[in-house]
């Protein structure tokens, strides 16, 4: 994720904040890395603990919550939004990118790097039901399985 953040932020000069949201406080680890890489940037972190956990909600509910979070961050003049939640990313990032002009960075399960680093080609995945049931998760998983078959 870190090289991607550098690409997004390389040319940003304005004082508007970087907005981040998660369904709770887990995304603070993402905020910490952004702050370490870009110490002069203003940031806003939205922890939607009122509606947590997102993982038990329907895709439609997750999209609705992500739109509300995005609207709040845009009201605060966020110049870019980091969706610091696997469940929110895998269920709503496509809709958010289609609806808004602001750039979005999503956080996805690191299936490919984990599979590539595994000596046994076996990995464990800890994720919410919402992430595991998402189309984006299955696209990533299918891609990895296809690569494995092609490499045999």
């Amino acid at each position: 994720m870190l090289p991607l953040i550098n690409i997004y932020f390389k040319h940003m000069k304005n004082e508007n904040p970087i907005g981040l949201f998660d369904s709770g406080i887990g995304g603070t680890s993402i905020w910490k890395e952004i702050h370490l890489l870009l110490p002069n940037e203003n940031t806003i972190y939205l922890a939607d603990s009122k509606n947590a956990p997102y993982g038990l909600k329907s895709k439609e509910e997750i999209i609705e919550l992500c739109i509300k979070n995005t609207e709040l961050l845009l009201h605060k003049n966020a110049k870019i939004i980091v969706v610091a939640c696997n469940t929110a990313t895998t269920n709503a990032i496509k809709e958010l990118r289609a609806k808004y002009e602001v750039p979005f960075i999503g956080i996805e399960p690191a299936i490919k790097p984990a599979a590539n680093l595994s000596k046994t080609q076996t990995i464990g995945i800890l994720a919410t039901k919402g992430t595991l049931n998402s189309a984006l998760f299955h696209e990533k998983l299918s891609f990895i399985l296809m690569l494995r078959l092609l490499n045999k």
Side-chain angles (χ1 to χ4, degrees):
M1 181 184 92
L2 300 181
L4 183 60
I5 286 179
N6 287 332
I7 291 168
Y8 271 107
F9 296 132
K10 187 175 182 180
H11 302 291
M12 290 189 178
K13 305 274 187 222
N14 72 45
E15 297 297 315
N16 288 4
I18 299 165
L20 300 90
F21 74 85
D22 189 7
S23 61
I25 61 166
T28 56
S29 61
I30 306 294
W31 173 83
K32 179 183 172 188
E33 291 300 317
I34 290 171
H35 186 68
L36 287 173
L37 286 169
L38 305 162
N40 297 320
E41 288 287 342
N42 297 314
T43 58
I44 299 173
Y45 184 86
L46 170 61
D48 187 16
S49 53
K50 176 183 176 186
N51 293 298
Y54 282 14
L56 302 175
K57 298 187 182 323
S58 70
K59 179 178 178 72
E60 294 75 23
E61 290 174 300
I62 294 166
I63 292 169
E64 183 180 318
L65 291 169
C66 290
I67 288 171
K68 286 180 182 179
N69 294 340
T70 298
E71 294 286 338
L72 185 125
L73 291 172
L74 290 176
H75 182 72
K76 302 277 186 188
N77 298 314
K79 61 185 167 191
I80 189 167
I81 296 176
V82 179
V83 182
C85 173
N86 281 320
T87 302
T89 297
T90 57
N91 284 278
I93 196 80
K94 288 180 184 178
E95 289 80 359
L96 295 173
R97 287 177 174 153
K99 185 174 176 70
Y100 300 99
E101 290 185 24
V102 67
F104 284 89
I105 296 176
I107 307 304
E108 299 174 1
I111 299 168
K112 184 177 178 182
N116 288 339
L117 291 172
S118 172
K119 292 179 183 176
T120 63
Q121 304 280 309
T122 303
I123 61 171
I125 299 172
L126 300 175
T128 67
K129 183 179 175 184
T131 297
L132 295 174
N133 290 334
S134 70
L136 184 58
F137 176 81
H138 285 277
E139 287 171 24
K140 298 290 181 188
L141 189 57
S142 295
F143 180 74
I144 298 305
L145 294 174
M146 181 185 69
L147 287 178
R148 294 286 180 249
L149 291 174
L150 292 175
N151 288 330
K152 285 190 176 188

